[in-house]
Amino acid sequence: MTATRPSLPALLIAVTALAPISWGSTYAVTTEFLPADRPLFTGLMRALPAGLLLLALARVLPRGVWWGKVAVLGALNIGAFFPLLFLSAYRLPGGMAAVVGSIGPLFVAGLSAVLLGDRPTLRTLLTGIAAALGVSLVVLQSAGALDLVGVLAALASTASMSTGTVLTKRWGRPDGVGPLALTAWQLTAGGLLIAPVALIVEGAPPALDGRAVGGYLYLALANTAVAYWLWFRGIGRLSATQVTFLGPLSPLTAAVIGWAALGQALTPVQLAGMAVAFGATVFGQLRPRSRTCRGAHISPASCEDAPAFTPGRNRIPNR
């Protein structure tokens, strides 16, 4: 009798989910280990060292039109996203930045319809609303006065990452290039974009003690290099909607770390929100069987492995 193994899609989803789970530790590391009020420098230290390290490992550079594509993806996924995310977090109260960020699945659903021809279903839209509601219950603890710049920065960061996710799916990867190289290109491009802005706005880098060095090493290696490699690898093999529905795991992880490591209490309302958001995350990974699979004598496993998008309309990256 053979042992039951998890299906490849389920295993891939679980591995990709490690990325937003890792990102959930960013807030605790930033507040407990890093210099205060240096969001641009922190974004730079997350992106550029990780990108250069992966670039040295991949040992391949973009060619032809991919120089332009990498510049666009690096700006959307890293260069613009990091500063806007930190700006919104500094200016908005009570986790409002995470609430705005939780509407990412709805952004991706709309962009996927335009750029990938993948029309959002009512189920996708309702699941996205449920995910945003669950995250709101977890992180939105106080109303407070909303800062217009902070709200716009949060919306812009969500739109930036969502657009980058969909374009990464649409463009795929050059022939013979793996996700490691694609991750290296984007992190390096994004870091180079942040560097001059950080120098102009925040001035010279601050003095770092041992705790800060350790914090930055963690952010650059585990939180960025490994996590973004897993994220872009997942984008290449899962649908854009499936990947973005893993995003709520980030604020949920942050809440759990705050409770376990920082002594922050979790109220019954927050626990209910965690259940709703996690349920929406899981439900967002379930792909309805296509008409082709339902109408033909094809095994469920074969249907799971079928392309998520219509061949000829969307490029599926080489695996």
Side-chain angles (χ1 to χ4, degrees), residues 84-170:
L84 288 169
L85 179 67
F86 281 114
L87 177 62
S88 65
Y90 272 92
R91 299 185 69 110
L92 293 179
M96 177 60 76
V99 174
V100 177
S102 68
I103 65 176
L106 299 178
F107 269 83
V108 169
L111 290 170
S112 295
V114 176
L115 299 177
L116 302 178
D118 187 26
R119 297 179 181 177
T121 64
L122 179 61
R123 181 179 109 159
T124 297
L125 297 177
L126 292 178
T127 305
I129 294 172
L133 175 62
V135 171
S136 300
L137 294 176
V138 174
V139 302
L140 192 56
Q141 301 178 20
S142 61
L146 297 183
D147 180 271
L148 179 60
V149 174
V151 172
L152 293 177
L155 287 171
S157 67
T158 302
S160 179
M161 185 66 167
S162 300
T163 304
T165 297
V166 176
L167 284 179
T168 301
K169 184 68 183 180
R170 177 180 176 85

Side-chain angles (χ1 to χ4, degrees), residues 275-304:
V276 172
F278 184 75
T281 298
V282 173
F283 195 69
Q285 307 310 311
L286 303 179
R287 302 297 305 277
R289 296 176 66 184
S290 66
R291 294 180 180 178
T292 301
C293 290
R294 289 196 300 263
H297 298 289
I298 302 176
S299 67
S302 299
C303 288
E304 288 182 354

Side-chain angles (χ1 to χ4, degrees), residues 20-21 23-28 98 138-139 248-260 262 264 266 274:
I21 290 174
W23 297 333
S25 66
T26 303
Y27 175 78
V138 174
V139 302
L249 292 176
S250 180
L252 296 186
T253 302
V256 171
I257 292 176
W259 166 75
L262 304 180
Q264 299 172 356
L266 288 175
M274 292 176 70

Side-chain angles (χ1 to χ4, degrees), residues 7 18 38 75 77 88 103 154 165-166 178 191 217 233-234 240 253 275 312 316:
S7 65
L18 294 176
R38 301 304 294 261
N77 288 322
S88 65
I103 65 176
T165 297
V166 176
L217 283 174
R233 180 175 176 268
T253 302
I316 304 299

Side-chain angles (χ1 to χ4, degrees), residues 160-240:
S160 179
M161 185 66 167
S162 300
T163 304
T165 297
V166 176
L167 284 179
T168 301
K169 184 68 183 180
R170 177 180 176 85
W171 288 340
R173 301 191 301 266
D175 292 337
V177 172
L180 184 69
L182 183 64
T183 305
W185 299 346
Q186 294 187 57
L187 287 172
T188 303
L192 292 175
L193 181 64
I194 297 173
V197 180
L199 183 61
I200 294 172
V201 175
E202 296 180 350
L208 303 179
D209 57 15
R211 288 175 60 85
V213 171
Y216 282 126
L217 283 174
Y218 167 78
L219 289 182
L221 297 177
N223 189 267
T224 303
V226 175
Y228 271 92
W229 170 66
L230 293 175
W231 186 252
F232 292 130
R233 180 175 176 268
I235 292 176
R237 301 188 179 191
L238 300 169
S239 75

